[in-house]
Amino acid sequence: MPIVALSQADWHDHVARVMIQALRDTLGVQQRCALSLSGGNTPRALYTRLAMPDMHHAVDWTRVHLFWGDERYVSPTDPRSNFRMVYESWLQYSPIPPENYHPIPTDCPDPSECARRYELELRHYFGGAIPAFDLTLLGLGEDGHTASLFPGDAALHAWHQWVAVGHAPVEPRIRITLTLPVLNASKQVWFLVAGASKRKVLQRVWQGDLSLPASHIQPAGELIWWIIRVLRRGDPGLQPWGGAPP
């Protein structure tokens, strides 16, 4: 399980460049690429970096399709919407055609119907086979949640669904999320983790604490942890390292 530690100052540039290379490699062997995006605050800097002009021709974005790992059950214009965050920080500046966006619908009177609609969209895109995203981005909450899979919630055990309704301990409480079977079918999963407050939960995940949803992420492909730290005076430079977690 590779782990890469980066300073807060430049992590978004490094991760963006590695992502571009991963997309190029994928498009070198297949016609299109499916990328599942994370919401939350941490990936915003990455999306902002991808929006910069030098990234516009770094890869053939017309062949990249974007999906969302989870969404708050709010309007896409709501400030809390994951789609809105990605659109405002990246997509409005990007050459990715809008027909390649596959946001989770939130306009149903019942969130379960929105989950069913998104599962149908996934079935259409992936030809009925379980979705195998080429790259899935995930975050890590202080309570060990990832996507909108929260400790103790029924969505964590939705083994026969691809998309489920989740319930968060904070507002907005209703979420729509990809389930563990889908996340674990990914060819690559990257966790983006920032902040000293995540240190304890990160160690628990690495130790295999199965009470934490993030501990259940064991993808078919490669799992990479991108750890973003603030360098304090006197700290040594952070270098990438691989192998088992320390």
Side-chain angles (χ1 to χ4, degrees), residues 56-96:
H56 290 185
H57 303 289
V59 69
D60 184 356
W61 292 110
T62 65
R63 297 164 61 194
V64 176
H65 287 253
L66 304 179
F67 296 81
W68 273 254
D70 71 313
E71 184 57 273
R72 288 85 181 264
Y73 185 54
V74 296
S75 164
T77 61
D78 189 291
R80 299 167 296 178
S81 164
N82 286 337
F83 172 80
R84 175 174 171 170
M85 183 274 286
V86 177
Y87 182 82
E88 290 184 344
S89 58
W90 178 18
L91 300 183
Q92 66 176 327
Y93 309 108
S94 169
I96 302 175

Side-chain angles (χ1 to χ4, degrees), residues 93-165:
Y93 309 108
S94 169
I96 302 175
E99 57 266 28
N100 289 14
Y101 308 166
H102 303 271
I104 295 174
T106 57
D107 58 346
C108 314
D110 182 342
S112 296
E113 178 59 28
C114 287
R116 285 191 290 270
R117 278 175 53 192
Y118 204 52
E119 183 160 330
L120 286 174
E121 181 155 3
L122 292 175
R123 289 183 181 278
H124 177 74
Y125 182 89
F126 288 97
I130 188 168
F133 291 104
D134 296 293
L135 175 59
T136 293
L137 303 180
L138 291 174
L140 176 67
E142 293 182 25
D143 60 356
H145 84 267
T146 191
S148 279
L149 298 170
F150 291 88
D153 191 53
L156 190 59
H157 307 289
W159 301 107
H160 301 294
Q161 296 173 244
W162 292 357
V163 188
V165 177

